[in-house]
Amino acid sequence: MKIFSLALFLLTSLFPVGIKAELSEEGFFSGRLSRINKDISVVRVKVDFDNIKYLNPKDKIEFWDEKNASQKCKGYIVGRTSEYLLLKVPEMTFCEKYLYFTTGAYFKFYSEDLLNNVKMGKEVVTILLKKRMAVHGQMDIKNKEITSHIEKVNAINARYQTLREKLDQEWQKEIHALDEDKTYAVRSYKDLERRRDEIDQKLEQYKIKDENLTLDRWSLDSNLYFKK
């Protein structure tokens, strides 16, 4: 009987009244009372933990003074920010009587709703991670296609660069041939022009007139013209 009593004492010491052994740590957090409004039974709590985003309005919360963990106060969330929780505490009188209920007091909090919300969040995160993995795999495929495209473009550019250089060489060769043809044509033209001028000079030199006599126009009357 004494052993049973000792075991019961140890269990109650490790797990205060109202807090079950199987409660997950993900449902616990801590905070300080920053403001108490007794008229409307509302308190504002300063908290600092990342999972505050998983607390929503109407979520139920239990909180207690670490020095008196056997007494718990209950409430529910009416609002929150990234640093504060606004709690509605219907049994404000009970809290003031059995807890160190004053501004600046440090409390432990537990919310089953927080625990459930975190579990749901984990499920969502698991799904999102799977989706992310799938999307990342598709990104890898597309990235390989992009890389392959760049390599193909570079290969085509290299091939056509070679063809362009070859074509440019052929073009230069053709232009050079045309220039040679032009040079030859100009040289031939100048030569023919020189020969023509020589011929014209000889023609002028050996020019023969039809008549040896010339018409003497000594008078205004053309009837009086005569050849001499």
Side-chain angles (χ1 to χ4, degrees), residues 36-216:
I36 301 174
N37 191 328
K38 297 180 182 180
D39 296 332
I40 57 175
S41 299
V42 170
V43 296
R44 187 176 66 187
V45 182
K46 178 72 167 61
V47 295
D48 182 18
F49 71 108
D50 293 335
N51 286 340
I52 189 175
K53 59 179 172 286
Y54 284 103
L55 284 172
N56 303 306
K58 297 184 180 181
D59 284 352
K60 295 178 182 180
I61 285 181
E62 294 180 336
F63 57 98
W64 60 93
D65 186 346
E66 283 190 309
K67 296 180 181 179
N68 186 18
S70 61
Q71 299 293 339
K72 306 187 309 298
C73 195
K74 296 183 180 181
Y76 59 90
I77 297 174
V78 293
R80 71 166 174 83
T81 65
S82 60
E83 296 181 348
Y84 291 93
L85 289 176
L86 196 62
L87 303 180
K88 178 72 173 179
V89 184
E91 299 179 357
M92 181 77 75
T93 304
F94 173 86
C95 298
E96 291 178 331
K97 182 177 180 180
Y98 293 101
L99 282 69
Y100 182 60
F101 203 76
T102 184
T103 302
Y106 181 82
F107 286 91
K108 284 287 188 179
F109 294 81
Y110 179 80
S111 173
E112 192 73 24
D113 292 325
L114 171 62
L115 177 61
N116 293 332
N117 293 340
V118 169
K119 288 181 178 179
M120 291 178 61
K122 286 183 177 181
E123 293 177 359
V124 172
V125 168
T126 300
I127 294 172
L128 291 176
L129 287 175
K130 291 180 179 179
K131 288 184 176 180
R132 186 184 185 281
M133 187 179 296
V135 171
H136 188 72
Q138 294 176 356
M139 288 176 63
D140 287 340
I141 294 174
K142 294 303 177 182
N143 186 52
K144 290 179 180 178
E145 291 179 1
I146 294 172
T147 303
S148 174
H149 171 75
I150 295 174
E151 293 175 351
K152 290 178 181 178
V153 169
N154 291 336
I156 291 175
N157 288 338
R159 186 176 68 184
Y160 278 92
Q161 179 64 29
T162 303
L163 293 175
R164 188 182 295 112
E165 292 174 356
K166 183 178 180 181
L167 182 63
D168 185 69
Q169 291 175 357
E170 293 179 357
W171 174 70
Q172 292 290 347
K173 183 178 179 181
E174 292 292 334
I175 293 296
H176 182 69
L178 288 175
D179 288 341
E180 289 183 346
D181 291 344
K182 178 185 175 182
T183 301
Y184 176 77
V186 170
R187 188 181 296 114
S188 298
Y189 178 83
K190 292 294 183 181
D191 184 63
L192 291 172
E193 186 178 42
R194 180 181 56 78
R195 291 174 59 190
R196 184 201 63 184
D197 292 342
E198 290 176 353
I199 293 172
D200 288 342
Q201 185 178 6
K202 290 181 179 180
L203 284 173
E204 185 65 26
Q205 181 180 355
Y206 293 99
K207 183 178 180 181
I208 300 175
K209 293 186 177 180
D210 294 335
E211 296 181 1
N212 292 327
L213 298 178
T214 59
L215 187 64
D216 186 8

